[in-house]
Amino acid sequence: MTQLRTAYRCLFFLFLACGLLLSAGSRAADAPPKRELRGVWIATVENIDWPSSRSLTPEQQRREYRRMLDDHQKSGVNAVFVQVRPASDAFYQSTLEPWSKWLTGTQGKAPTPLWDPLPFLIEEAHQRGMEFHAWFNPYRATMDTVTRRLAANHPYRRHPEWFIRYSGKLLYNPGLPEVRQYINEVILDVVRRYDIDGVHFDDYFYPYPEAGQVIHDEQAYARFNPDNLPVADWRRQNVNNLIRDLHTSIRQAKRWVKFGISPFGVWRNQTSDPNGSATKAFQGYDGLYADALEWTRQGWVDYVLPQLYWSTGFRVAQYPVLVEWWARNANGRHVYIGHGAYRMLESTRSDTVWRNPRELPRQVRFNRTFPAEVNGSVFFSSKSLMANALHTTDSLREHEFRYPALPPVMPWLDAVPPLPAQQLSVSTQLNVNTLSWQPGPAAPDGDEASYYVLYRFTPDQTPSPDDPRNLLAIVRPQAGRKLQFQDTTARFGHAYAYYLTAFDRLHNESRPISVRTTGRPAEVVVAQQAPPVPAPQPVEPAPQPATPPVATTPRPPAPRPTPTVTTPTKIKVKTKPKRRGFLERIFGRR
């Protein structure tokens, strides 16, 4: 009987241990993603999002933009895609193109008082931990054909031969080499002069086809087609040449600036191409001459952001079908999904699923079933997300985006992490724990820390910087200010472990340095810095050959990589000498 009771006892503890392991595994599986791009488009054309009116003063424009970013910050947004060149005009000071009429009311008219909005737009985003992607429309020149309204320095005034008229608009002719060179020059001007994080294009290349309209590029086709390509292939080659050359130019100017494109959501249907998606919709490859699959194959873009503005129930272009297709054809580049948040404000009968408040959160959760291929979500547009239609934005804030996320890394641009911070210390007082540190030296690739992330753990937790639920703060260095953070949510008398990591411009994370408090009042804890470990230099991968993809069956979602626990530096604890009374140590001298 004794042996039997012992056997039962062993089985009981075995089952208990298995249950605890399963519970821990479930908690790990339920952890929200630490790396996920969460973006929003801010459209300036026709004053869609910002500024809301052409008549706003510069100060009113600044206040409106700050309020907008504050609202998006509450929603967990960590990237903004701001339209800085909507129609061959500028939301920044330019010697190449005129001031935008959607900024000042009249094209070519400078702001009064004079200011350059772009540095302000970038800095306000960076202060809130957001990437700033400068959004350009490469080929749209006007929204009408009334040329007398164009500013004196509009490119049409100097080179009318560069443009074609189509459906009531002036468009740059992509078939002209000098046009592609000029567009490259305009974008490189911004890349060199402003602290942007990315260059972004939307889906406007050749125009969307309209009944009775013809693209009159016959002369360019006759002059600049040495390979005697059919007109459709020639137009696609023109777009590809722009993407290829711009990719090279950006790399040479600033290696950390990303380049991405938001193509139409359907590349090709399976009925047109066996490598296409199981859809029956308009095709970007054929209708816009935009071969997004070729851009990722060749490595000419760092991300694609397909506009999947359809619901899970839209038969001709179902959301899940297209997400799976883009995930399968990522070709080693990031895929962010463009969501049609504006659809919830429509009364359309063609896609009534958008009337369901669960639709948008459901799409975000579905993206996460492809953790290795689908790297985030971007919403069109800013005012639609702020409108909180059907309380969807509330749902994102409370559930899907409840915890912060950091942008994913791009190892083909930079795989060298920064070196850790130095001299981390924490000083505990009654209502606040104050953490201070010093920047570490430059990494082997020359990069210094762009920002720092602070994690906090309780004694019953195993410290690891892999779960964003423990992310306490993102701190960016500011000129003239100490590297410091005040933890006002720490409970007095409770012990904590703090982990601090450094991040470079492309979001590579350093080894952590840590300190632990004991819960005793008025103590100072100092981290003992370990010697840095040199990181290997990144190697620029060779471009992938332009071979057609092999048709494959949809595969199950890729498993999330197993989190790795990095070893923090050792710590030592110093307590203040007991030279003053207890109350004086807590409250300080008056």
Side-chain angles (χ1 to χ4, degrees), residues 254 486 566-567:
K254 289 182 180 176
Q486 292 187 324
T566 51
T567 305

Side-chain angles (χ1 to χ4, degrees), residues 52-334:
S52 59
S53 169
R54 307 180 193 185
S55 61
L56 296 184
T57 66
E59 183 54 35
Q60 290 172 326
Q61 293 170 354
R62 288 189 285 267
R63 285 201 300 266
E64 186 175 70
Y65 184 75
R66 288 191 187 104
R67 286 195 299 267
M68 181 184 300
L69 292 196
D70 287 343
D71 190 85
H72 292 319
Q73 187 176 29
K74 293 175 184 176
S75 301
V77 167
N78 59 23
V80 291
F81 297 76
V82 181
Q83 194 174 31
V84 300
R85 183 187 187 255
S88 196
D89 52 0
F91 271 73
Y92 55 92
Q93 201 152 19
S94 172
T95 59
L96 299 173
E97 297 190 311
W99 287 102
S100 175
K101 66 179 180 182
W102 295 297
L103 180 71
T104 67
T106 303
Q107 189 181 86
K109 178 184 176 182
T112 305
L114 182 64
W115 75 303
D116 187 345
L118 191 48
F120 166 81
L121 301 177
I122 296 168
E123 180 59 26
E124 290 294 321
H126 286 171
Q127 286 181 6
R128 292 163 178 79
M130 300 174 182
E131 285 192 336
F132 187 96
H133 293 247
W135 168 15
F136 299 83
N137 290 85
Y139 290 127
R140 185 168 62 201
T142 66
M143 296 295 287
D144 56 43
T145 56
V146 185
T147 57
R148 68 175 182 274
R149 297 176 185 169
L150 299 178
N153 62 333
H154 190 282
Y156 179 83
R157 300 291 191 188
R158 303 188 301 273
H159 297 285
E161 72 279 5
W162 284 2
F163 299 87
I164 55 178
R165 296 172 184 263
Y166 187 89
S167 188
K169 297 181 179 66
L170 283 178
L171 306 173
Y172 282 92
N173 187 344
L176 298 177
E178 55 267 38
V179 162
R180 299 195 297 270
Q181 178 58 37
Y182 172 73
I183 293 170
N184 193 305
E185 181 183 356
V186 167
I187 294 168
L188 264 291
D189 175 57
V190 173
V191 170
R192 294 189 182 105
R193 292 196 294 126
Y194 297 97
D195 192 27
I196 64 174
D197 299 294
V199 168
H200 179 72
F201 283 176
D202 57 19
D203 55 329
Y204 288 105
F205 292 99
Y206 278 86
Y208 276 84
E210 294 191 23
Q213 298 290 317
V214 177
I215 300 173
H216 288 294
D217 56 358
E218 298 88 353
Q219 291 184 5
Y221 178 65
R223 291 178 58 199
F224 302 108
N225 185 16
D227 299 326
N228 293 316
L229 296 174
V231 65
D233 292 337
W234 174 74
R235 288 173 178 168
R236 272 186 291 273
Q237 184 185 70
N238 294 332
V239 174
N240 288 345
N241 287 344
L242 174 70
I243 304 305
R244 178 200 63 202
D245 295 346
L246 185 57
H247 165 264
T248 301
S249 299
I250 293 172
R251 289 293 166 275
Q252 292 173 349
K254 289 182 180 176
R255 62 180 176 82
W256 61 86
V257 173
K258 304 171 182 179
F259 179 36
I261 300 177
S262 179
F264 184 75
V266 175
W267 175 71
R268 298 194 90 186
N269 302 312
Q270 281 183 352
T271 52
S272 301
D273 191 313
N275 296 311
S277 52
T279 51
K280 299 178 181 178
F282 177 82
Q283 305 170 119
Y285 178 93
D286 301 274
L288 303 175
Y289 309 101
D291 190 355
L293 198 55
E294 181 71 0
W295 307 336
T296 60
R297 282 176 183 154
Q298 297 291 348
W300 293 336
V301 293
D302 300 305
Y303 65 84
V304 286
L305 206 174
Q307 298 173 27
L308 305 190
Y309 296 164
W310 306 290
S311 74
T312 54
F314 191 56
R315 291 187 178 182
V316 300
Q318 289 182 319
Y319 181 86
V321 170
L322 284 165
V323 171
E324 191 279 332
W325 187 89
W326 285 100
R328 183 158 40 89
N329 289 281
N331 290 315
R333 290 301 188 250
H334 284 183

